[in-house]
Amino acid sequence: MRFGVLGPVTAWTDAGEPVTIQGLKVRALLADLLVHEGRPVPADRLIDDLWGSQLPGNPSGTLSAKVSQLRRAFEDAEPGSRALVKSGPAGYSLTVDSSTYDALTFADRVAAGQLGEALALWRGPAFADFADEAFVETAVARLNEQRLTALEAHYEERVDHPVSELATLVAEHPLRERLRASHMRALYRSGRQSEALDSYEELRQLLADELGLDPSPELVALHQSILTQELPSRRSNLPAQLTELIGRDEALADIGSCLASARLVTLTGPGGVGKTRLALAAASEVADRFSDGVVLVELAAVTPAALSVTSSLMDAVQVALDVREIAGPADSMVERLAAVMGSRLLVLDNCEQVVSEVADLTDRLLAAAPGLRVLATSREPLGLAGEVVWTVPTLEVPSRDAQPDAVGESSAVQLFVARASAASRGFTLSEETAADVSVLCRRLDGIPLALELAATRVRALGVRGLVARLDDRFRLLATGHRGAAPRQQTLLAMIDWSWELLSPDEQAVLRRLAVHADGCTPDAASVVCAEPGVDVLDVLVRLVDRSLVVPVQGSEGQRYRLLESVAAYCLEKLRGEDELESVQQRHLEYYTAFAEEARPHLYGGEQSRWLELLDEDAANLRTALDRAVATDQLDLAERLVDALAWYWYLRGRIAEALRSLEAVPDSARAGAWRVGFMYVQGDSDAARERDRWLDSADARAQWWIAFAGSDAGDLVTCLALLEIALKSFEAEGDQWGIAAVLAARAKHAHVRSDASALYADASESARLFRSLGDRWGVLQATSWLSAHAEFTGDFDKAAGLQREGVQLAEQLGLWPELSGSLGMLGWTEIRQGNYDAARADGERALRLASEQDQRSTQALAEIVLAFAARRTGALEEAETRLRALLDEARRQADPVLYLSMVLTELAYVLELRGEPEAALELHLEAFRISEEYESLRGMCWSLEGIAACLPDKAVAAQLLGATAATRAAEGYLVTPAESGDNDRAVSAARAVLGDADYEVAWDLGTALSPEQAFRLL
């Protein structure tokens, strides 16, 4: 539903059909609600507006009836629209916004500079059919003033002023000076100079007689220009562009909008980003708004070495405007320049060399010429009041994981391909070239000049050759287009231009920033880029203003980075100053200290914050470690890997951790960390490596090895290590260590099917971790609490805890834990018989585990998917997944935790496929492993499977009796996922023995433990 008040009060359906609203008071009610633009109107106010002193007998009831009539009219016209009229404690309101209400649409279009489109919305006087009502009086006055102001701006923008329309408006509003100025210009340009002067004289007389005022200085200047016939004609000297502007559609629209609302817009950005090209295109787009034209003033030739920079600037402006030379004092020259500006857009290009003088001249021109707007390009803002600084971004580059068919969607690739195709006619973006083009665009930071220079070399080198030579980019991109300005002909010249404008302090800080990888914090810059007597942060701000340093938002404020080409240039400057080694050493020492500061915060309430901080500086930390190893500073390397190992684990960076730890092979601390990561990765040499470092391991290292190694199946050794570590933690009062041991010990209780120990350890661990604020620990402990709930058949509680774990892991970005939580949730869904949900969670868990190289959670996800596949009839898929798990498990020196359940499930697949003998062998092996682990539940599963395959059904019935008794004693439920397998075994035994003999055998079995029942075989 849409509404209009810019003319008679009207409503339309979304299809454009008028809405019939019967009754004057109902239409008045609509008008009153529209006056308030969606704000609630009290009922008393509506009653007073609609009836005044002539109130109906029951005012509230009558108002309610009118509201109902309005709603019914809306509903009849468009079903569902009755809800637009809302009622509440504050009164009645009508839901409208700028897309449904023409008064709000008008205001939005005016703000966006779309004056013609805004004025076209008017269909007559505002609230035309209620204009005499007191409740619309203020709104009508406001809307009429907005319309008149928009008309004034619109006529100032028009190239050819319609004299007759302006004459009518001037007659209706004789004291409005902006209308009068447009009228005078229109008359003058129509060859009616005397009438233009008469119009001025008429206004001057009216102002004097009615208000005792004189015309404004701007109107006086316009009058003088008409007298001397200096009012310039429309002029534009924008050069025609030879190539299409690519990837800047949104930028053009945004700049056009800025120029509609602001009088000074400055495009800033690094060299080569395309400020000039974008400014020319934007000026061309909005040229029709300016009746006196658009003029480009090129300032690159105005240098600080000029005898008078201010005079040189004004000379450049005069030449661009094509006005005769103005002589005299600077103030009078500015006044004369301002007098000829009229309604004009001035494009001031390349202001950075003389930015102070340009700012001063621009400020004075804007103050003296109200119809003037300025679009400037500069590597730093002009710094004037009211200036809109619009930072020109580099072009969008493809992401590192972009597929070949998606590479061409980025604007940087589109520009490069367009220019490369022009330079080398056979070049196209294809599957063969997409990856290299993607790398090239990223390495050149999406800078248009760099991409265009690179495109000229495609014919000689090909894209792959270009990428291979990017480390020597300044020689590679040493030739460009001859028609470009000298500073834009090569990449080196472009950056040289900016470098030469810097002070020595700025040059020192900028070149030292280059040792950082992917940016740095202000604190890091202050330490690594330090220069005696220099405020580094103050210099950083100036470098940002000069578009040489790019500010990016970090988790705790601003970070600073260099574009890759600027960084490469600055590294050469560092070498030239013989500073590279010393600054790199500062970088190494700073980030070693930073990592050590972060380490204790990863175990507690500030975990999330410090994970983000380390994420942001991951590249710097890698660079620091690489330098420590390369320069044989193994003490610093050992400190770094020790400080970062837990961070690597929490973030799932297993391969990075192992590579880094192997760089310090003789470190005992690194050795203990390495053992745990080997276990996580499923390395069969982990146990042998463990024995090498156990004697030197402290309590934290013992816990880490046991925690990571428990999934590998060496439960006896790992449990012993946990008990030793627990004693040390208790003696030291290390609450985190105690909680961590209890969570790991809960896993062992789960393997043994010891429900009481599982719950006790997991509950206490959760309590301790919550008191410490360690959300990773809470996630660990609650996962075992959910396992306990699943174990005892409370599946809803288990799933709820697991979903909380999924949410918490996602919030923290703990992708390995997220994979584990999804796997546990999938397992619970299997137990509930929700196989589709289990498959969805299992697939996501598998994808995450594979990405993080987490073998234990990858196995859990595969188990979930295999179980779901068998239970939905996909036996081939189930067998494929289970055999892969079995092969992986058999490669380990010790039985892995999941081996018995994989054997059992694979046996069921074989049984269903008619291979009971092969199935029986697997069930027997599964029982022996469960017995070794003291897992009663695992033994029950195996015995039930054996019963289904065993030819001797009397023994099978005893096995089923034994498992039933054990399940009842221990509280192990037969879940929907298990009932089918159990029912098959029972049915097969009953079919052979008959019900009576089956019951006898079954009763005999209930007196047996699982181990005793197994001995019957």
Side-chain angles (χ1 to χ4, degrees):
M1 190 78 71
R2 293 180 291 126
F3 304 95
V5 297
L6 304 182
V9 176
T10 314
W12 303 273
T13 65
D14 287 340
E17 296 296 324
V19 178
T20 302
I21 301 174
Q22 301 290 346
L24 179 61
K25 292 301 182 184
V26 180
R27 294 179 61 244
L29 171 63
L30 173 60
D32 207 343
L33 293 175
L34 288 170
V35 163
H36 291 85
E37 299 181 348
R39 299 182 299 276
V41 191
D44 291 346
R45 173 70 180 274
L46 288 170
I47 291 168
D48 187 54
D49 288 347
L50 267 60
W51 287 284
S53 60
Q54 300 178 347
L55 294 176
N58 180 3
S60 297
T62 305
L63 175 63
S64 179
K66 299 303 179 188
V67 170
S68 295
Q69 288 178 253
L70 182 60
R71 285 172 170 160
R72 192 180 310 118
F74 287 172
E75 187 70 20
D76 290 344
E78 196 166 71
S81 295
R82 66 179 298 112
L84 294 174
V85 182
K86 300 184 183 305
S87 61
Y92 294 98
S93 63
L94 179 64
T95 303
V96 292
D97 57 34
S98 60
S99 66
T100 60
Y101 183 27
D102 63 357
L104 297 177
T105 308
F106 171 74
D108 274 9
R109 290 184 180 176
V110 169
Q114 301 167 340
L115 299 176
E117 295 91 332
L119 292 166
L121 295 170
W122 285 75
R123 299 166 286 111
F127 291 93
D129 41 348
F130 293 97
D132 295 333
E133 299 291 339
F135 68 82
V136 302
E137 184 177 336
T138 301
V140 168
R142 174 175 52 81
L143 288 169
N144 285 340
E145 177 60 27
Q146 289 177 354
R147 181 189 188 193
L148 198 53
T149 301
L151 277 168
E152 289 174 333
H154 182 57
Y155 284 120
E156 283 180 354
E157 291 182 356
R158 291 282 295 272
V159 177
D160 300 315
H161 289 346
V163 176
S164 59
E165 290 180 22
L166 282 166
T168 301
L169 285 168
V170 166
E172 293 173 357
H173 310 280
L175 295 178
R176 295 188 74 98
E177 293 198 8
R178 289 180 72 187
L179 281 177
R180 184 72 66 165
S182 295
H183 187 225
M184 290 166 61
R185 289 193 188 94
L187 288 168
Y188 177 80
R189 292 198 173 97
S190 299
R192 298 153 68 178
Q193 180 182 359
S194 62
E195 291 179 59
L197 296 173
D198 289 343
S199 181
Y200 171 81
E201 183 59 29
E202 178 187 7
L203 174 64
R204 188 193 66 76
Q205 192 66 47
L206 283 170
L207 287 171
D209 293 345
E210 297 187 17
L211 302 175
L213 298 174
D214 292 325
S216 66
E218 294 81 11
L219 206 63
V220 171
L222 175 61
H223 176 250
Q224 183 64 31
S225 297
I226 293 174
L227 275 175
T228 58
Q229 298 190 6
E230 290 180 344
L231 188 64
S233 59
R234 176 176 170 80
R235 169 174 169 72
S236 176
N237 65 346
L238 297 179
Q241 299 303 307
L242 301 178
T243 56
E244 176 191 5
L245 183 64
I246 294 174
R248 297 298 195 189
D249 291 346
E250 289 184 12
L252 287 174
D254 198 14
I255 295 168
S257 178
C258 290
L259 284 169
S261 57
R263 297 187 60 209
L264 170 61
V265 178
T266 303
L267 306 188
T268 65
V273 80
K275 298 183 294 295
T276 298
R277 183 73 171 84
L278 184 56
L280 294 176
S284 180
E285 289 267 320
V286 301
D288 286 346
R289 299 184 195 174
F290 300 94
S291 56
D292 295 309
V294 178
V295 172
L296 169 66
V297 184
E298 173 55 66
L299 300 178
V302 180
T303 70
L307 293 176
S308 170
V309 173
T310 301
S311 296
S312 297
L313 284 173
M314 285 196 282
D315 289 345
V317 175
Q318 290 178 85
V319 170
L321 287 169
D322 197 22
V323 298
R324 65 176 181 269
E325 184 177 352
I326 300 172
D331 288 345
S332 63
M333 292 171 69
V334 171
E335 290 175 6
R336 295 288 299 280
L337 279 174
V340 302
M341 288 299 175
S343 171
R344 190 187 304 275
L345 176 64
L346 209 59
V347 182
L348 302 179
D349 190 34
N350 292 300
C351 302
E352 57 269 2
Q353 286 193 107
V354 286
V355 67
S356 297
E357 292 83 356
V358 172
D360 181 63
L361 176 60
T362 302
D363 192 32
R364 294 163 68 189
L365 284 174
L366 288 171
L372 174 66
R373 302 215 168 192
V374 174
L375 176 61
T377 74
S378 177
R379 297 190 189 179
E380 62 180 294
L382 301 190
L384 298 178
E387 177 184 27
V388 172
V389 179
W390 203 94
T391 303
V392 179
T394 56
L395 293 177
E396 178 194 10
V397 300
S399 63
R400 295 183 186 278
D401 57 354
Q403 297 300 310
D405 57 350
V407 167
E409 296 174 6
S410 77
S411 52
V413 170
Q414 291 166 7
L415 175 65
F416 177 79
V417 170
R419 302 298 185 257
S421 300
S424 177
R425 292 182 62 84
F427 177 78
T428 59
L429 184 67
S430 63
E431 282 197 20
E432 290 73 28
T433 60
D436 290 322
V437 170
S438 180
V439 170
L440 182 77
C441 291
R442 285 197 302 273
R443 294 286 307 277
L444 293 177
D445 297 301
I447 297 176
L449 175 61
L451 293 170
E452 295 200 358
L453 293 174
T456 64
R457 310 307 299 272
V458 168
R459 181 169 53 187
L461 298 173
V463 183
R464 184 154 298 176
L466 280 172
V467 172
R469 291 167 174 79
L470 273 180
D471 288 336
D472 194 14
R473 66 184 63 199
F474 296 116
R475 188 162 57 181
L476 174 67
L477 307 182
T479 58
H481 300 293
R482 294 189 181 90
R487 69 182 182 281
Q488 295 175 338
Q489 288 189 3
T490 71
L491 189 61
L492 183 61
M494 175 190 79
I495 303 177
D496 270 336
W497 167 270
S498 298
W499 179 265
E500 296 302 327
L501 299 177
L502 301 178
S503 68
D505 290 348
E506 291 167 340
Q507 290 177 347
V509 171
L510 181 62
R511 65 176 176 258
R512 292 169 189 170
L513 280 173
V515 300
H516 293 93
D518 199 26
C520 65
T521 62
D523 181 59
S526 296
V527 174
V528 177
C529 305
E531 174 77 0
V534 174
D535 184 339
V536 172
L537 296 183
D538 180 61
V539 173
L540 267 178
V541 172
R542 297 206 302 270
L543 291 171
V544 169
D545 285 342
R546 286 158 175 73
S547 302
L548 284 163
V549 173
V550 180
V552 292
Q553 189 60 39
S555 62
E556 295 195 350
Q558 207 79 279
R559 289 175 60 85
Y560 301 95
R561 63 179 291 267
L562 301 181
L563 298 178
E564 189 172 329
S565 295
V566 175
Y569 178 94
C570 290
L571 283 174
E572 291 302 317
K573 291 293 183 182
L574 271 178
R575 291 188 182 93
E577 295 291 332
D578 199 23
E579 288 183 340
L580 182 59
E581 292 294 322
S582 62
V583 177
Q584 285 179 329
Q585 187 63 22
R586 283 191 213 173
H587 178 276
L588 167 58
E589 292 170 359
Y590 174 84
Y591 283 101
T592 301
F594 170 68
E596 290 179 326
E597 180 188 3
R599 175 174 49 195
H601 297 291
L602 296 178
Y603 301 89
E606 291 190 289
Q607 186 179 74
S608 179
R609 173 187 173 227
W610 282 89
L611 282 171
E612 288 188 14
L613 292 174
L614 289 167
D615 286 344
E616 290 172 348
D617 273 311
N620 279 311
L621 293 163
R622 282 196 300 272
T623 299
L625 179 59
D626 289 344
R627 173 169 174 77
V629 173
T631 55
D632 207 30
Q633 298 181 70
L634 296 185
D635 57 332
L636 288 174
E638 182 180 27
R639 288 168 57 190
L640 263 172
V641 297
D642 186 32
L644 291 173
W646 187 236
Y647 162 72
W648 287 326
Y649 176 73
L650 291 176
R651 282 299 191 235
R653 297 177 183 170
I654 311 305
E656 179 181 354
L658 282 168
R659 283 196 310 271
S660 303
L661 292 162
E662 286 164 1
V664 281
D666 296 325
S667 164
R669 188 67 183 154
W673 280 115
R674 187 166 62 253
V675 170
F677 282 110
M678 290 173 70
Y679 273 128
V680 171
Q681 205 175 43
D683 191 326
S684 58
D685 290 332
R688 184 164 52 252
E689 183 71 9
R690 177 197 65 204
D691 296 338
R692 180 182 171 196
W693 302 109
L694 272 184
D695 291 342
S696 58
D698 62 11
R700 286 278 176 115
Q702 291 166 344
W703 165 82
W704 163 245
I705 292 171
F707 168 75
S710 293
D711 282 320
D714 191 357
L715 298 184
V716 175
T717 302
C718 290
L719 187 58
L721 280 175
L722 288 175
E723 297 298 345
I724 294 169
L726 180 60
K727 290 179 182 177
S728 298
F729 289 142
E730 288 173 337
E732 297 165 5
D734 185 341
Q735 297 298 293
W736 192 95
I738 294 169
V741 167
L742 292 175
R745 205 167 67 175
K747 177 187 289 190
H748 288 256
H750 184 261
V751 172
R752 297 192 310 272
S753 306
D754 187 341
S756 59
L758 169 60
Y759 184 77
D761 282 348
S763 298
E764 179 62 7
S765 176
R767 186 191 70 79
L768 289 173
F769 275 131
R770 284 196 179 95
S771 70
L772 295 169
D774 189 306
R775 294 200 282 174
W776 173 86
V778 171
L779 187 59
Q780 290 291 307
T782 54
S783 73
W784 292 115
L785 285 173
S786 74
H788 176 268
E790 179 267 329
F791 196 84
T792 56
D794 191 347
F795 296 126
D796 289 340
K797 179 180 179 181
L801 288 169
Q802 287 150 5
R803 289 190 179 96
E804 288 178 17
V806 167
Q807 185 177 16
L808 182 57
E810 286 180 321
Q811 290 172 354
L812 288 172
L814 301 178
W815 310 124
E817 307 307 324
L818 175 58
S819 174
S821 295
L822 286 166
M824 292 288 283
L825 177 58
W827 175 247
T828 299
E829 288 161 341
I830 290 288
R831 304 272 284 158
Q832 291 175 298
N834 299 330
Y835 303 127
D836 289 341
R839 182 178 285 278
D841 288 327
E843 287 173 348
R844 188 180 175 204
L846 180 60
R847 183 170 63 254
L848 285 166
S850 300
E851 290 171 358
Q852 303 297 325
D853 201 16
Q854 293 275 330
R855 298 302 170 84
S856 61
T857 50
Q858 190 173 350
L860 174 58
E862 288 280 13
I863 287 169
V864 168
L865 292 171
F867 276 54
R870 179 173 78 84
R871 283 155 179 76
T872 53
L875 297 183
E876 185 175 346
E877 178 193 347
E879 182 175 4
T880 300
R881 291 186 184 278
L882 292 165
R883 288 202 182 279
L885 284 165
L886 188 58
D887 291 344
E888 176 67 25
R890 295 209 189 282
R891 284 195 286 269
Q892 305 301 316
D894 298 304
V896 295
L897 294 184
Y898 60 80
L899 180 55
S900 63
M901 63 191 308
V902 168
L903 289 166
T904 299
E905 189 69 5
L906 181 56
Y908 277 128
V909 172
L910 296 179
E911 177 209 333
L912 290 170
R913 291 177 56 173
E915 302 175 40
E917 297 84 359
L920 181 59
E921 290 300 318
L922 296 178
H923 281 308
L924 293 170
E925 183 181 356
F927 183 91
R928 295 186 185 100
I929 294 171
S930 296
E931 186 178 24
E932 181 182 345
Y933 286 160
E934 301 177 2
S935 173
L936 281 174
R937 186 162 65 160
M939 286 187 267
C940 287
W941 285 339
S942 298
L943 288 177
E944 288 162 351
I946 292 169
C949 302
L950 199 64
D952 188 340
K953 294 306 179 184
V955 175
Q958 291 186 63
L959 299 184
L960 292 170
T963 61
T966 302
R967 281 182 179 275
E970 300 294 334
Y972 303 155
L973 300 178
V974 176
T975 68
E978 300 162 344
S979 59
D981 298 327
N982 198 55
D983 290 346
R984 279 199 319 280
V986 171
S987 297
R990 284 183 182 275
V992 172
L993 299 175
D995 290 341
D997 288 346
Y998 173 82
E999 295 295 341
V1000 171
W1002 190 88
D1003 285 339
L1004 289 173
T1006 59
L1008 303 176
S1009 69
E1011 295 90 342
Q1012 291 169 331
F1014 187 71
R1015 300 297 172 254
L1016 296 176
L1017 301 175

